[in-house]
Amino acid sequence: MLAKNRRLISAKSIFKDLFRGKRLEHVPFLPFIFELAARVEQVTTEQLQNDPGLMVNALLNTRQVTGVDVVLTRVDLSFSAQKSEGCGFNAELHRHGKAAVSLEATRRLREIIGKQAVLACQVTGPLTLARSYPDFQEAAAGKFEQSSLEAARQAVLQVIKVIGESRPDLILIKEKKIAPETADEASATTSCLEPLWNIIRFYDAEPLLVSQEIGGRTLDSLAGEVSGIVFSNSFDCGLSELSRLHQEKGVCFGLPLPGEVFTGRHELLDGFLDDIKEAFDGRGVFACSGGEIPPDTRVESLKAVAGLLK
């Protein structure tokens, strides 16, 4: 038990030191294992999303057998996730359907794992949320009306407040794409997201942005607002540019591991670690799985990856 507690304390301390800009001896790891957890528990993701007790057990069991340091829940506010519950778009999305289940699971997880383990929660961002609802034709076309964005932002803010009461360590805002074409659009984007970072910090959590694509026009400004930016896909800028942003603005970057490492090609970790060591020298960078780890990934393989990163 003592050894286990030391590992949990160490995991939380490492992430704290990461966002304080301290030099770390190893690379922290933030994997997305929700779909894998469903397979480990031998249920479907749909079943997981509709039962908070089942979600809690699946995530804890998967963490135990893989040795990863983070328990991460996800709150999907998108239309596709909510429509089966008959929910329209409003600022009370957190009270319905799968979102409510995930929020309850997050609350239970904090009670079970205590304050020493790393608890994270990922939430659909307002830009992605607005695009997902067919009522917003302007949003679907990529042109947001202010009222549409404000409604989406208010819904996300309400969710963050509920999550905040569970005192997670990390709150991730997931936006599929942030690539404004003009300076005005870039300014509107950062203005829309800014209140989210403020309320996350109010609850003593680190605000992270997760995205498949972030345009260079907004990367620089966002780097000055969030604690971390997680790339769920490849990224256009070089590691030296990301290192510069960390040094100047303090932002940390989550870089996706090569997908093949989860199929057993662990030797690919060497090149990944050498590259980030040269660019970051142990500061301002952590590894992530990009998107969800494929559910057919062998548990032993993920356990090996997590172990090699420690």
Side-chain angles (χ1 to χ4, degrees):
M1 179 62 72
L2 180 59
K4 182 178 179 181
N5 288 338
R6 283 177 177 171
R7 184 176 69 83
L8 294 176
I9 293 171
S10 177
K12 187 160 184 173
S13 297
I14 286 169
F15 273 91
K16 281 188 175 181
D17 288 345
L18 168 72
F19 295 114
R20 290 171 180 167
K22 294 186 178 181
R23 189 177 186 280
L24 303 178
E25 295 300 320
H26 77 268
V27 180
F29 183 34
L30 177 62
F32 297 88
I33 58 172
F34 193 87
E35 294 178 9
L36 177 63
R39 182 178 70 81
V40 169
E41 201 68 10
Q42 297 183 330
V43 297
T44 66
T45 55
E46 184 72 13
Q47 289 174 303
L48 217 61
Q49 291 174 310
N50 284 288
D51 186 331
L54 189 60
M55 186 185 299
V56 167
N57 289 337
L59 291 172
L60 290 178
N61 289 341
T62 303
R63 179 177 181 271
Q64 183 176 14
V65 298
T66 60
V68 298
D69 289 331
V70 181
V71 179
L72 188 148
T73 60
R74 65 183 192 187
V75 182
D76 188 352
L77 301 175
S78 66
F79 176 72
S80 61
Q82 297 294 313
K83 65 180 179 180
S84 62
E85 307 295 332
C87 304
F89 182 85
N90 58 71
E92 300 295 312
L93 288 176
H94 63 287
R95 299 184 182 275
H96 305 284
K98 296 179 175 66
V101 171
S102 295
L103 290 169
E104 173 61 16
T106 304
R107 184 190 68 79
R108 294 184 190 183
L109 280 165
R110 176 49 83 202
E111 291 181 354
I112 293 170
I113 64 181
K115 296 182 179 180
Q116 299 304 324
V118 180
L119 178 62
C121 186
Q122 177 178 276
V123 186
T124 307
L127 304 177
T128 300
L129 175 57
R131 289 191 184 100
S132 75
Y133 277 79
D135 293 343
F136 294 155
Q137 296 302 318
E138 298 86 1
K143 298 178 180 178
F144 296 103
E145 289 187 350
Q146 187 62 35
S147 58
S148 301
L149 272 182
E150 181 58 25
R153 181 170 65 179
Q154 288 302 320
V156 176
L157 283 170
Q158 290 300 318
V159 170
I160 292 173
K161 290 177 182 178
V162 177
I163 295 170
E165 294 300 326
S166 298
R167 299 296 173 181
D169 304 288
L170 316 173
I171 298 180
L172 293 69
I173 302 299
K174 185 179 181 180
E175 295 286 9
K176 185 175 182 180
K177 178 180 180 180
I178 303 180
E181 297 180 357
T182 67
D184 287 343
E185 289 179 3
S187 177
T189 297
T190 54
S191 296
C192 174
L193 296 173
E194 183 178 5
L196 277 60
W197 318 135
N198 295 335
I199 194 68
I200 290 172
R201 288 193 170 99
F202 174 80
Y203 288 102
D204 295 323
E206 299 290 352
L208 276 65
L209 173 66
V210 182
S211 185
Q212 294 179 1
E213 179 182 349
I214 302 178
R217 191 185 296 273
T218 52
L219 180 61
D220 192 87
S221 58
L222 287 169
E225 297 181 0
V226 296
S227 296
I229 294 176
V230 181
F231 293 101
S232 58
N233 207 334
S234 58
F235 45 94
D236 295 332
C237 53
L239 293 180
S240 58
E241 173 65 10
L242 298 182
S243 177
R244 179 190 67 80
L245 287 172
H246 167 68
Q247 294 175 37
E248 293 181 359
K249 303 192 175 188
V251 63
C252 299
F253 291 97
L255 306 182
L257 293 170
E260 295 87 347
V261 302
F262 301 114
T263 64
R265 295 195 59 190
H266 302 149
E267 71 277 4
L268 296 176
L269 278 175
D270 293 337
F272 175 87
L273 293 173
D274 288 344
D275 289 344
I276 62 174
K277 181 178 180 180
E278 180 179 354
F280 290 90
D281 192 29
R283 293 183 173 88
V285 66
F286 58 101
C288 66
S289 57
E292 282 282 335
I293 292 178
D296 59 350
T297 299
R298 294 175 64 244
V299 167
E300 295 81 5
S301 183
L302 177 55
K303 183 176 183 179
V305 171
L308 288 169
L309 289 170
K310 293 182 179 181

